[in-house]
Amino acid sequence: MGTNGQRDAEQLHCLVTGASGYIGGRLVPELLAAGHRVRCLVRTPAKLRDQPWAADSENVRGDVTDPHSVAEAMRGVHVAYYLVHALAAGADFEDTDRRAARIFAEQAHAAGVRRIVYLGGLTPRDVPERTLSPHLRSRAEVGRIFLDSRVPATVLRAAVVIGSGSASFEMLRYLTERLPVMVTPSWVHTRTQPIGVRDVLRYLVGSATVPDDVDRSFDIGGPDVLTYREMMRRYAVVAGLRRRIIVPVPVLTPRLSSHWVGLVTPVPASIARPLTESLRYEVVCHEHDIARYVPDAPGRPLPFDEALALALRRVRQAQVATRWSSASVPGAPSDPLPTDPDWAGGSLYQDERHLPVDASPDALWRVVEGIGGDNGWYSFPLAWAVRGWLDRFVGGVGLRRGRRDAERLRVGDSLDFWRVEEIEPGRLLRLRAEMRLPGLAWLEMYVETDDAGRTRYRQRALFHPRGLLGHAYWWSVSPFHAVVFGGMARNITQAAARGMTARKGSAPARRIRSPRGRRNGRP
């Protein structure tokens, strides 16, 4: 045994669920760096294909609600990480969470797994569990299921996680940066104990090697206990902004608060609501026993201001490894595009356009891969903006999620109200719509060459309607396709040609980008 009762270093076989999400996508490389073997259980392994660590992990298909796939994934595993929740499953997500946790615990026991590690939420003391928000209540119940199981469990309970790309950080960042004067809900006076994502990952990795007789929950948090109001003001100082004026009002309910957050920030109301509901209660750590098993180095856990500074640096240097939108958002479709050209699954409407391009395939691909976010969508900016506003109004993600990286895309990346479903560098970018629609929609952009070796751009918008409303939706918007999709095709090819001209001059080659002041518009 090592110090503090911890095992001596050994290579463990770890199963990670939620590897396509914010925490899971960061935990996998940390476990690999610690010398462990990693197997990822995901519904769509292709989502992990472009991760920098994908070649070093074993990625298997399965679902935590399917006992057979969980049993197969548990085979030969020492430590099983449970980093999923069923918030996207709809109104009955608590039942789904409960069932999935029980399956996970039962199959872990059957496979001889040494330990389950779960990252849950910090809940308030002296507040009956039944009165908590459904989100917090479900997280607490899942932790209890693991602790009551026949497999030793480590349940880590965290409040606000501060890291580049986390939903909590993005909510704090956009509220503070966009609103120098804020009328805020009363929960800005509630105390909480934020923790940096680096410390969350450190505790998760360290939990793999705690002694076998440890079977309990641990509160994890940073050294600062702050109100949300204090966090916003300290963010303004760290970010170099003027002092923010914050006026709390008591009339904003959690539902109204979530819509208010959804209006101001890229975090949609469906994600903002569980975050704001958790802020109604004081959630602070009442122990720091985790340090007995995962010792803190000097200066750790990170102070709030330092965690903020690190997150901001990552954002400004475009080095965000994962974002809150890495995982599917509640209500977002996940069906892949049917690949059979004679698909018999129903109507599949198409808008297809072909244009020659006076540029090299590489120049055209740079424009295609750079689309979205601050680079815009190369057509009718008002139409895109209105569509984004309408989506936010009905609880969708809207057009403001932006890009994880300004230069590169990978499978699974969110891109405004799209998600990258497939990317073949230099040839194809396929986006799946995650806005609220009466059907499923995709946008494909191809870089091709004709028989004479000339560059050609091909673009397809596809829509699979759901019911009569879906058909009505397609025919109601089809008159605008010439402006929106036709304009997009023309402007993309023109941007590629302009980029080619610039490359022939004396200036160094650079990405073709639309001005920041003309977001989502014509380049």
Side-chain angles (χ1 to χ4, degrees):
M1 302 290 288
T3 59
N4 294 299
Q6 231 178 329
R7 285 195 193 92
D8 293 326
E10 62 175 309
Q11 185 187 62
L12 298 173
H13 194 183
C14 301
L15 174 68
V16 177
T17 62
S20 61
Y22 177 72
I23 294 292
R26 298 190 180 208
L27 175 62
V28 172
E30 295 292 328
L31 290 170
L32 291 169
H36 302 310
R37 294 167 56 207
V38 178
R39 176 183 296 154
C40 301
L41 176 67
V42 286
R43 283 177 292 182
T44 310
K47 284 186 177 181
L48 305 182
R49 187 191 68 198
D50 295 335
Q51 291 284 359
W53 42 261
D56 299 318
S57 64
E58 179 190 0
N59 306 317
V60 300
R61 185 184 306 276
D63 191 288
V64 290
T65 60
D66 173 29
H68 176 72
S69 64
V70 174
E72 287 296 312
M74 291 281 188
R75 195 182 303 276
V77 164
H78 301 114
V79 181
Y81 285 87
Y82 192 85
L83 302 174
V84 298
H85 60 83
L87 193 61
D92 60 348
F93 78 90
E94 288 184 85
D95 292 335
T96 305
D97 271 337
R98 184 182 306 115
R99 178 163 52 91
R102 287 173 177 165
I103 289 171
F104 199 78
E106 290 166 2
Q107 297 303 327
H109 174 70
V113 171
R114 294 185 195 173
R115 175 163 302 279
I116 293 172
V117 181
Y118 170 59
L119 178 61
L122 193 57
T123 53
R125 275 192 173 183
D126 304 322
V127 176
E129 192 173 294
R130 66 180 182 276
T131 66
L132 296 175
S133 69
H135 171 70
L136 279 181
R137 188 169 61 234
S138 182
R139 301 296 285 271
E141 183 182 17
V142 168
R144 192 168 59 254
I145 288 171
F146 291 142
L147 292 173
D148 290 343
S149 75
R150 291 177 288 179
V151 179
T154 302
V155 174
L156 302 178
R157 309 193 319 151
V160 175
V161 176
I162 300 297
S164 60
S166 77
S168 298
F169 173 74
E170 292 290 279
M171 193 170 98
L172 175 67
R173 178 164 77 102
Y174 279 88
L175 286 175
T176 309
E177 290 187 354
R178 290 183 171 175
L179 299 176
V181 179
M182 284 174 273
V183 176
T184 61
S186 57
W187 47 251
V188 296
H189 287 310
T190 305
R191 297 197 315 157
T192 189
Q193 192 162 351
I195 181 171
V197 69
R198 293 189 180 195
D199 289 307
V200 173
L201 295 171
R202 182 168 58 87
Y203 291 137
L204 284 168
V205 173
S207 293
T209 53
V210 301
D212 292 340
D213 60 351
V214 175
D215 186 19
R216 56 164 291 186
S217 64
F218 295 92
D219 294 353
I220 58 172
D224 301 295
V225 176
L226 304 163
T227 66
Y228 206 84
R229 180 176 185 168
E230 291 169 332
M231 287 196 289
M232 287 191 286
R233 286 185 166 164
R234 287 172 74 161
Y235 178 94
V237 172
V238 172
L241 305 173
R242 292 183 179 179
R243 181 180 175 85
R244 270 29 192 168
I245 299 172
I246 302 167
V247 183
V249 295
V251 296
L252 288 177
T253 65
R255 179 181 291 274
L256 289 175
S257 295
S258 65
H259 286 292
W260 173 70
V261 170
L263 180 67
V264 176
T265 80
V267 181
S270 55
I271 296 292
R273 185 166 185 182
L275 294 176
T276 56
E277 284 179 332
S278 66
L279 292 169
R280 295 166 56 195
Y281 308 101
E282 178 174 289
V283 282
V284 298
C285 298
H286 293 279
E287 45 85 9
H288 189 55
D289 296 346
I290 188 65
R292 298 178 191 171
Y293 309 102
V294 188
D296 293 321
R300 305 297 291 267
L302 290 173
F304 177 72
D305 290 357
E306 191 172 340
L308 274 184
L310 286 170
L312 273 171
R313 188 182 311 153
R314 290 283 188 184
V315 170
R316 290 168 178 170
Q317 294 176 351
Q319 295 178 342
V320 181
T322 60
R323 301 177 68 213
W324 61 269
S325 53
S326 298
S328 296
V329 297
S334 59
D335 298 38
L337 175 67
T339 54
D340 183 355
D342 297 321
W343 182 55
S347 301
L348 189 63
Y349 293 117
Q350 298 189 41
D351 179 279
E352 187 163 0
R353 302 183 184 264
H354 304 256
L355 284 175
V357 187
D358 187 19
S360 69
D362 285 346
L364 177 57
W365 178 252
R366 280 195 299 274
V367 177
V368 168
E369 191 179 9
I371 201 165
D374 287 338
N375 297 343
W377 289 92
Y378 294 90
S379 72
F380 199 11
L382 182 60
W384 286 94
V386 169
R387 187 64 187 87
W389 296 333
L390 289 174
D391 196 51
R392 302 288 285 199
F393 181 75
V394 296
V397 296
L399 198 62
R400 293 185 306 200
R401 290 190 299 183
R403 300 170 54 106
R404 177 192 57 83
D405 185 295
E407 299 288 322
R408 297 286 178 261
L409 292 174
R410 65 191 186 199
V411 169
D413 273 0
S414 59
L415 181 60
D416 293 326
F417 49 38
W418 305 89
R419 188 171 296 276
V420 179
E421 182 173 281
E422 182 57 77
I423 184 167
E424 298 177 19
R427 177 182 174 271
L428 165 68
L429 174 63
R430 178 185 299 138
L431 307 175
R432 186 184 69 246
E434 290 193 334
M435 73 280 280
R436 297 296 177 91
L437 289 169
L440 303 172
W442 297 265
L443 177 63
E444 291 184 328
M445 289 165 274
Y446 291 86
V447 175
E448 300 175 335
T449 54
D450 60 20
D451 294 338
R454 294 168 299 195
T455 305
R456 185 177 70 160
Y457 174 67
R458 180 161 64 96
Q459 176 182 293
R460 285 203 311 166
L462 303 105
F463 183 67
H464 171 43
R466 186 183 300 116
L468 181 60
L469 182 60
H471 291 275
Y473 172 82
W474 173 265
W475 291 112
S476 67
V477 299
S478 58
F480 303 100
H481 287 173
V483 175
V484 176
F485 293 127
M488 173 187 290
R490 288 191 302 273
N491 290 328
I492 284 175
T493 58
Q494 290 170 10
R498 286 198 300 273
M500 194 70 181
T501 302
R503 287 167 61 85
K504 292 177 181 177
S506 58
R510 60 184 176 86
R511 176 168 296 280
I512 307 304
R513 301 183 59 169
S514 58
R516 204 173 270 271
R518 300 185 67 179
R519 182 179 173 86
N520 297 321
R522 190 182 299 268

